[in-house]
Amino acid sequence: LGSLQVRLFLTYLVIILVTLGLTAVGLFFVLGGYRDTISYGNLEDVATLINRQAGVELEQAAESGEGPLDPDRLLLLLNRGVNPQGDQVSETSVMVVDREGNVIAGRFPEAIVEDLPDPSASASSDPHHCRIRVPEGTDLLCVSMPLSEEALPAFQDQDAAAIVVARPASDLDEVLGDLIPRLMFAGLIGVAAALAMGFLLSQSVSAPLRRIVRAARGVARGNYAQRVPITGPREVREVAANFNRMTEEVQRSQQTLRDFLMNISHEIKTPLTSIRGFSQAVTDGTVDDTEGVVRSARIINDESTRVLRLVEELLDLSRLESGQTHMRQEDVSLAELFAHVEEVFALRSEESEVTLAVESPPALTIRGDYDRLEQVLNNLLDNAFRHTSSGGTVSVRARGVQQNLVQVTVSDTGKGIPPEDLPHLFERFYRAANGRNTKGYGLGLAITREIVRAHGGDIWATSEPARGTSFSFTIPASIASPRGSREARPHNTVARANS
Ligand SMILES: Nc1ncnc2c1ncn2[C@@H]1O[C@H](COP(=O)(O)OP(=O)(O)OP(=O)(O)O)[C@@H](O)[C@H]1O
Ligand SMILES: [Mg+2]
């Protein structure tokens, strides 16, 4: 009973049964309203016939010379006309009543006829509807007709006034008796149709859901390649589509995790191998001269620094990605920030013979974390210098793009990035073909993007192979203009990350 299919099925069944029941009740009331009308209609016809018949019988009696007909005999004749089988319990009976409605002759001698028309007022011989109260019996419906001229003599002594034709008000049982089998038949057809339709409909809902359940179990067991066909009603299709999307996402993130672990192991293995090599050489005496030992120690130091840097960058990235890093919200003067990075990269520019052109920005102020924004510029400039050969130029500039947005661009005249690499630059450990042999880990841009996003900005790259690359990012502008100069603060954290 807990299953959706069974519930739907039962719901259809209940609906059809309730509908049938209501229909039956409705019919019952509608027919109930008509029932007296029908009975009266019949009685009127019978009464007209009887009245005429009475005249005929009396005439025949007079002609045959029997003398005036006995009232009881007349009624017997008339009753026989109504009930040819002479059935005593038959429905319809003929009676003769006086002006007050007392029965003179016929069945139910104690009965009183109500609603008799005033004979003086209604001279017409039209049938008139009336009711008969039968003491200790069911009331009857009746139709009265003034006695015809011919019939009057037979009842002269008894003050007879009218002939009444009566029958019991037709029973509801009678109406329903006919209706119930038909309703039952219709009900059976309805129920059969409802069962068939209910089965199909509930199947169309529950079958796709069952497939999803099966697939979800597969995913729980670690089989992420599960996909379900998108069928059924809209909501179920949506569930299926979202299920597929979810498993795709899970599969992708599983893959990313695997790649990630592989990358890390790979990146750590190389420096660790050389650390072990050189330390072994020193300990087992292969290297015994002071110069060799010092050189080995320096290499061990370099390599362990490298591993440490990787671990620090990874930790930083994972903190940024999980949103654990708090970004200060302070007004940062771009002029100040640019002046600072220009100072930091001055030496490198000199050594590599690459011109560093910092376009001193108009009095733009942005809102964010000074150290983190400097880290962004450091990463971008580090990349630019790394990929630009001597004689080239690296430039930094900024402009307000919208009312409350500033766009900063770092461009170089280096070798550029192949178009197929562009969409992946910001992925962890991604190094374009031109960067595979460099010392980087491919984490700089991933970290940069996380920082920019944490500030509510966006970052993108454009590149023309052999002509150069531009990285641009947006950052919210400060609403208030800066008040005075910022205090100098230590920036060694960021400097270390990019050393
Ligand atoms: N200005 C640029 N010109 C050409 N290629 C670039 C430029 N900036 C980035 N790239 C390419 O994008 C790749 C990813 O850059 P990213 O800064 O993420 O990693 P990295 O510099 O290799 O290592 P890390 O920054 O972790 O030391 C680089 O390996 C390089 O191939
Ligand atoms: Mg880099």
Side-chain angles (χ1 to χ4, degrees):
L1 202 72
S3 127
L4 179 65
Q5 180 159 22
V6 173
R7 282 186 189 201
L8 281 174
F9 198 61
L10 288 180
T11 308
Y12 294 129
L13 203 63
V14 168
I15 288 176
I16 214 69
L17 290 179
V18 167
T19 313
L20 281 174
L22 287 177
T23 313
V25 172
L27 272 175
F28 177 84
F29 278 112
V30 170
L31 292 183
Y34 279 120
R35 125 188 102 117
D36 285 358
T37 319
I38 296 168
S39 309
Y40 274 126
N42 285 345
L43 283 179
E44 279 172 21
D45 295 345
V46 175
T48 315
L49 269 175
I50 294 285
N51 218 5
R52 206 174 298 146
Q53 182 70 20
V56 174
E57 297 285 353
L58 285 168
E59 227 167 81
Q60 275 179 3
E63 272 169 25
S64 64
E66 279 175 34
L69 202 59
D70 177 50
D72 287 329
R73 172 138 178 78
L74 173 64
L75 266 188
L76 199 69
L77 286 173
L78 292 182
N79 262 324
R80 197 174 291 156
V82 180
N83 308 308
Q85 292 91 11
D87 187 353
Q88 272 307 295
V89 287
S90 151
E91 308 271 82
T92 315
S93 53
V94 182
M95 286 167 261
V96 177
V97 296
D98 67 9
R99 271 167 216 285
E100 273 78 49
N102 301 311
V103 177
I104 299 169
R107 260 161 80 193
F108 311 115
E110 288 97 56
I112 307 278
V113 181
E114 289 174 354
D115 307 332
L116 264 187
D118 187 357
S120 53
S122 86
S124 85
S125 61
D126 286 342
H128 186 92
H129 296 179
C130 55
R131 251 173 187 286
I132 300 181
R133 296 252 165 269
V134 181
E136 293 154 27
T138 41
D139 289 359
L140 306 171
L141 293 182
C142 63
V143 164
S144 69
M145 296 192 77
L147 273 174
S148 64
E149 294 286 325
E150 299 85 26
L152 268 176
F155 299 98
Q156 235 162 12
D157 317 338
Q158 283 110 325
D159 192 17
I163 282 195
V164 166
V165 183
R167 62 175 307 197
S170 52
D171 236 315
L172 276 190
D173 287 350
E174 202 178 312
V175 178
L176 280 188
D178 213 25
L179 207 59
I180 281 175
R182 284 163 206 263
L183 273 178
M184 297 256 275
F185 183 66
L188 274 182
I189 292 181
V191 167
L195 289 184
M197 291 236 315
F199 181 77
L200 290 179
L201 276 169
S202 57
Q203 183 74 10
S204 78
V205 173
S206 63
L209 284 178
R210 266 200 297 270
R211 272 199 292 271
I212 294 174
V213 169
R214 232 176 291 130
R217 265 195 220 117
V219 171
R221 263 186 256 111
N223 178 4
Y224 301 109
Q226 301 281 352
R227 299 290 181 277
V228 289
I230 296 171
T231 53
R234 185 158 50 84
E235 287 83 353
V236 177
R237 283 205 308 273
E238 265 167 33
V239 170
N242 281 310
F243 177 84
N244 286 346
R245 214 166 299 144
M246 186 190 76
T247 46
E248 260 164 45
E249 204 47 57
V250 170
Q251 207 175 7
R252 191 165 24 235
S253 67
Q254 288 286 325
Q255 186 59 40
T256 314
L257 192 64
R258 267 197 296 274
D259 294 349
F260 184 62
L261 286 175
M262 240 171 64
N263 279 319
I264 295 180
S265 330
H266 179 77
E267 297 294 347
I268 290 181
K269 199 178 153 198
T270 323
L272 285 185
T273 311
S274 65
I275 288 173
R276 195 183 57 179
F278 281 99
S279 54
Q280 246 172 14
V282 174
T283 43
D284 64 17
T286 321
V287 176
D288 49 3
D289 57 319
T290 326
E291 201 188 314
V293 170
V294 169
R295 209 180 41 161
S296 301
R298 194 178 304 127
I299 291 173
I300 290 173
N301 183 50
D302 285 354
E303 293 298 292
S304 47
T305 308
R306 208 172 127 72
V307 177
L308 207 64
R309 200 193 106 196
L310 171 65
V311 172
E312 275 169 1
E313 281 189 8
L314 277 175
L315 279 176
D316 194 25
L317 182 60
S318 100
R319 265 189 234 113
L320 281 167
E321 279 180 343
S322 63
Q324 282 173 15
T325 322
H326 174 67
M327 296 283 160
R328 271 195 299 270
Q329 288 288 315
E330 53 197 5
D331 290 337
V332 175
S333 153
L334 266 187
E336 197 181 318
L337 183 64
F338 278 19
H340 180 76
V341 291
E342 191 173 13
E343 212 176 289
V344 170
F345 279 90
L347 186 65
R348 187 149 170 200
S349 154
E350 212 171 283
E351 280 174 353
S352 58
E353 292 168 0
V354 171
T355 316
L356 174 58
V358 177
E359 215 171 89
S360 153
L364 284 177
T365 315
I366 52 179
R367 190 129 187 96
D369 189 318
Y370 187 94
D371 291 341
R372 288 300 191 171
L373 291 170
E374 190 198 332
Q375 191 181 354
V376 166
L377 281 179
N378 279 344
N379 282 346
L380 294 179
L381 280 167
D382 175 58
N383 284 352
F385 275 103
R386 202 182 278 178
H387 298 285
T388 308
S389 35
S390 62
T393 307
V394 171
S395 57
V396 185
R397 58 185 186 279
R399 64 189 175 98
V401 277
Q402 281 165 28
Q403 204 183 1
N404 45 14
L405 214 59
V406 172
Q407 181 180 322
V408 180
T409 305
V410 175
S411 37
D412 61 56
T413 56
K415 46 190 180 283
I417 303 169
E420 65 270 19
D421 285 326
L422 274 180
H424 306 288
L425 285 185
F426 299 98
E427 290 169 13
R428 302 181 276 211
F429 292 112
Y430 191 84
R431 279 171 290 182
N434 60 30
R436 303 260 152 83
N437 305 322
T438 62
K439 280 195 159 186
Y441 291 119
L443 290 175
L445 286 178
I447 292 174
T448 301
R449 183 172 65 175
E450 288 303 322
I451 297 174
V452 170
R453 285 191 175 166
H455 279 86
D458 200 6
I459 184 166
W460 64 95
T462 51
S463 182
E464 259 184 78
R467 298 201 60 176
T469 308
S470 278
F471 280 90
S472 300
F473 64 91
T474 52
I475 213 86
S478 167
I479 308 143
S481 54
R483 247 174 267 123
S485 177
R486 242 178 114 265
E487 276 174 52
R489 41 163 78 250
H491 301 300
N492 46 359
T493 334
V494 182
R496 190 189 58 212
N498 282 279
S499 58

